[in-house]
Amino acid sequence: MGSQHNHDGAIRKTTSLVHLEDVAEEQTEIAERDEDRRCGEQDISSDAAKAVIVQNDLIESEAKRVPTSSKEYWCYCVFCFAQLGTGIGTDGGALRQALTSLAWPTGTIRWGRHEIPLNVFLLDLNGLLYLIQMIVLLVLGSYADYGRWRYWLLMSFDAVLICCMLGLSTLKQAASWRIAQLLWMIGCLSSNILGTFFNASFPELVRNLPRVQASENAVRSGQKSPEDHAEMDMLERATLYNWVNTIGSASVVTASSIAVCLSQALGTGKEQLITTYRVLLAYFAAMTLLFSLPYLVTSKRRPGAKMPKGSRWWSLGPKQIYLAAKHLRYLRQCFLYLLAYFLLCEAFGTSGGLVSIVQNEVLDYSPGAINTLAMLSNISGGTGTFACLLAQKRWRFTIKQGVCYGAFMACLPIMWGAIGLYTSKIGFHNTWEFWILPFWNFHTAAWGSYNISMITEVVPAPKMFLFFALFSAVGKTSGFIGPLVTSYIIEAAGGNTNVAFVFLTGVGLLGVYFLSCVDTDQAKIDNAEFLRREEMGFAEERETETSPLLQS
């Protein structure tokens, strides 16, 4: 009996040893797989870091790099006020809506061959505006990457924006509602194109900062790792654009505060409504000029890349658009963010337009209330942007993490509007909701702070203006599709605006999902490969596994 017990114990002991050996072997395999994974991630990160330098080396300019001065850096931040379209988007939009309402007091308007609700007409005009903008941006954006077009395009659209606000300030009668719509459209078009070229300029300012150039040279001389430079480059881009948004918000708050005082002094009664908007538009035109001049004077007017050999200026734009579209498949991460950007811009832009239209009606077109809300929105947004600046400096989170947080937070007000389909207690039916909404900008500021910086993470550096124009065109295409789709939904629902928020909630959450899938390290590697293909004339149509530029 004892021998049997000893025999059984020996068997169990042997079995246990075999089991322990199996466990040890399995743990070793897991450790090896984890090490391989970490090595793979390190290889990708290293290649991505090298690609940052590679892209800058492939920019063949018409002149030497001009360092960014401190004065130019901060004047660029101040110029943000002009490209935000303050005045044309608030008082200009309210004036054209008020004049049209006076001309069509029944709330319906003849549009084409049909009688449609006024809100649907306004959304259709928004869609038409974005369609025109998409075409203009795609053509002009490709030219801004070459030669000396950039400064003159920026200055020209700034001048047109100011002229449109001054033109709107001369309109008095309801009979001029058609002219008001035209001037509003041209002004918004100029403001949006101005904003696109303004945003596309900041990566170049960062690239030419003396400390960034010194860091690049340190990498080339072996004194600094590519990974450290890549992190510095990312943080410098994020820092500049956060300062842009913070200073832009502060300038808008200051200008809006004065506008509120002016509106109160002029009177808030309905008989004074048109006069108040006219004065405010003239005031904002003057403020736009004031905030524009410092950067237009201090800008170094850096030339873009050299024109490709054999190209003519009249064929350059269409050719670049064709090449970018043809080889966009090589930029998978760029395409993925483009898709996410499209969906998110559609959700946020269209919902913002819906909220603005409903807000004007609920607040009875009050100039004081509208400008006060704009002021509160910018106080909250500016504070949130400054918080992002401090938080990123403290915790050094990536641009992707910042934009994902902001995108999700921006979806929540859309969900709030969707709830309004089922109840009248909330969902943008009450005045108090519009006074609370601006404070949520503290959280959604992360989207505004990082969605533009995120573009610089996934597009080729020498093609910044073309790809910014592409992203802006896609974003504005969503502004074309979104209003048309939602106007159809609203009309089919008998004029119930809240039903459109249900559709936009789904679109926004889908965009957040695609955004989370973007790999910024792989994007940098793809960009270097894309530029190598262009340098070789895109002679090879098949995709190579590893770029020789990244093996050094």
Side-chain angles (χ1 to χ4, degrees):
M1 190 72 178
S3 61
Q4 179 66 35
H5 175 76
N6 292 336
H7 178 69
D8 292 342
I11 292 174
R12 284 195 298 269
K13 184 176 181 179
T14 302
T15 304
S16 298
L17 289 173
V18 172
H19 176 68
L20 288 174
E21 290 176 357
D22 291 341
V23 170
E25 184 178 351
E26 182 178 354
Q27 290 177 343
T28 301
E29 291 177 355
I30 292 174
E32 289 176 351
R33 286 198 300 269
D34 289 343
E35 182 65 23
D36 290 341
R37 178 180 56 80
R38 284 192 295 270
C39 290
E41 291 175 353
Q42 290 172 359
D43 289 343
I44 292 175
S45 298
S46 178
D47 285 348
K50 293 175 184 177
V52 174
I53 302 293
V54 168
Q55 291 184 71
N56 289 336
D57 288 342
L58 286 173
I59 300 176
E60 187 181 6
S61 176
E62 291 185 343
K64 293 182 179 180
R65 290 170 65 173
V66 180
T68 301
S69 66
S70 177
K71 185 183 295 185
E72 183 183 19
Y73 186 98
W74 293 110
C75 286
Y76 176 80
C77 296
V78 170
F79 187 76
C80 180
F81 178 90
Q83 63 92 25
L84 288 174
T86 306
I88 193 71
T90 52
D91 297 281
L95 176 62
R96 61 115 184 186
Q97 188 174 345
L99 288 174
T100 308
S101 296
L102 290 174
W104 300 89
T106 61
T108 59
I109 185 172
R110 186 165 186 81
W111 181 231
R113 298 180 179 180
H114 305 283
E115 295 283 341
I116 61 174
L118 179 59
N119 286 356
V120 174
F121 166 73
L122 295 175
L123 286 171
D124 286 347
L125 279 188
N126 286 351
L128 180 61
L129 165 66
Y130 292 134
L131 176 62
I132 296 171
Q133 185 172 291
M134 176 188 68
I135 298 171
V136 174
L137 274 174
L138 283 176
V139 173
L140 293 183
S142 53
Y143 281 103
D145 280 313
Y146 296 92
R148 301 179 182 272
W149 296 84
R150 301 177 183 180
Y151 174 80
W152 300 108
L153 287 170
L154 203 68
M155 186 176 68
S156 298
F157 283 107
D158 189 42
V160 173
L161 169 62
I162 294 171
C163 289
C164 285
M165 285 193 283
L166 291 174
L168 281 167
S169 70
T170 65
L171 303 181
K172 302 178 182 179
Q173 306 298 327
S176 59
W177 68 273
R178 292 183 179 84
I179 299 175
Q181 298 289 354
L182 179 62
L183 288 174
W184 173 82
M185 288 184 68
I186 296 175
C188 286
L189 176 67
S190 301
S191 174
N192 291 333
I193 295 176
L194 178 67
T196 299
F197 289 163
F198 171 83
N199 290 333
S201 300
F202 88 93
E204 183 180 49
L205 290 178
V206 171
R207 172 177 169 264
N208 288 293
L209 285 170
R211 56 184 176 272
V212 175
Q213 290 191 41
S215 178
E216 285 184 19
N217 292 331
V219 173
R220 294 187 180 98
S221 63
Q223 299 174 358
K224 188 175 185 178
S225 70
E227 291 83 357
D228 288 342
H229 173 75
E231 183 183 35
M232 175 190 179
D233 180 75
M234 182 270 292
L235 291 174
E236 287 289 351
R237 280 183 281 113
T239 297
L240 174 55
Y241 206 74
N242 278 333
W243 275 122
V244 164
N245 281 304
T246 301
I247 294 174
S249 295
S251 61
V252 171
V253 167
T254 302
S256 297
S257 300
I258 299 173
V260 171
C261 295
L262 284 174
S263 65
Q264 293 298 319
L266 292 168
T268 57
K270 287 188 176 181
E271 63 279 1
Q272 294 292 327
L273 189 69
I274 303 300
T275 300
T276 300
Y277 281 130
R278 292 173 58 218
V279 172
L280 291 177
L281 281 163
Y283 159 73
F284 277 118
M287 293 296 288
T288 299
L289 178 61
L290 178 65
F291 283 101
S292 298
L293 285 176
Y295 180 67
L296 295 179
V297 171
T298 60
S299 175
K300 298 295 181 64
R301 309 184 192 182
R302 295 175 182 83
K306 288 184 177 180
M307 288 181 61
K309 293 181 179 179
S311 297
R312 299 291 183 269
W313 69 266
W314 50 267
S315 63
L316 179 63
K319 182 179 180 181
Q320 290 300 308
I321 295 170
Y322 168 74
L323 288 175
K326 181 179 179 181
H327 297 279
L328 189 62
R329 67 182 183 274
Y330 295 116
L331 304 176
R332 293 185 179 88
Q333 303 305 316
C334 177
F335 180 77
L336 188 59
Y337 183 55
L338 190 67
L339 176 60
Y341 189 80
F342 169 82
L343 294 171
L344 292 170
C345 285
E346 176 162 3
F348 302 156
T350 308
S351 64
L354 288 174
V355 171
S356 178
I357 290 171
V358 176
Q359 172 184 287
N360 289 340
E361 293 177 344
V362 173
L363 298 180
D364 202 22
Y365 303 101
S366 169
I370 289 173
N371 283 282
T372 301
L373 287 172
M375 180 182 66
L376 292 175
S377 295
N378 281 279
I379 290 175
S380 180
T383 305
T385 302
F386 189 66
C388 288
L389 182 67
L390 296 179
Q392 190 172 41
K393 186 177 181 180
R394 171 66 176 82
W395 290 292
R396 304 178 79 85
F397 57 82
T398 64
I399 288 175
K400 180 187 172 182
Q401 290 169 335
V403 77
C404 284
Y405 171 81
F408 178 75
M409 287 298 172
C411 285
L412 297 183
I414 306 177
M415 298 180 192
W416 183 273
I419 296 173
L421 179 64
Y422 308 102
T423 177
S424 60
K425 294 182 179 180
I426 61 172
F428 303 122
H429 297 297
N430 311 287
T431 302
W432 62 267
E433 293 175 281
F434 296 103
W435 289 102
I436 291 177
L437 182 62
F439 296 99
W440 191 251
N441 276 9
F442 180 86
H443 298 285
T444 60
W447 166 255
S449 296
Y450 294 111
N451 81 86
I452 299 299
S453 299
M454 183 67 176
I455 298 176
T456 67
E457 288 281 280
V458 298
V459 305
K463 303 291 182 183
M464 201 62 69
F465 279 80
L466 173 59
F467 277 89
F468 262 83
L470 177 63
F471 270 85
S472 184
V474 166
K476 301 312 177 184
T477 301
S478 68
F480 164 65
I481 297 174
L484 292 182
V485 174
T486 52
S487 67
Y488 174 79
I489 292 173
I490 292 171
E491 189 174 7
N496 189 336
T497 305
N498 291 90
V499 71
F501 285 107
V502 178
F503 164 73
L504 294 173
T505 296
V507 172
L509 292 177
L510 186 61
V512 171
Y513 168 74
F514 284 122
L515 175 60
S516 67
C517 297
V518 178
D519 185 339
T520 54
D521 282 342
Q522 185 61 48
K524 293 179 177 66
I525 298 171
D526 292 345
N527 292 337
E529 181 67 16
F530 174 86
L531 294 173
R532 187 186 70 85
R533 287 178 178 277
E534 185 189 48
E535 192 177 39
M536 296 172 61
F538 293 110
E540 297 179 1
E541 288 297 324
R542 62 186 183 82
E543 189 176 4
T544 57
E545 294 182 0
T546 306
S547 169
L549 291 169
L550 299 179
Q551 294 176 350
S552 59

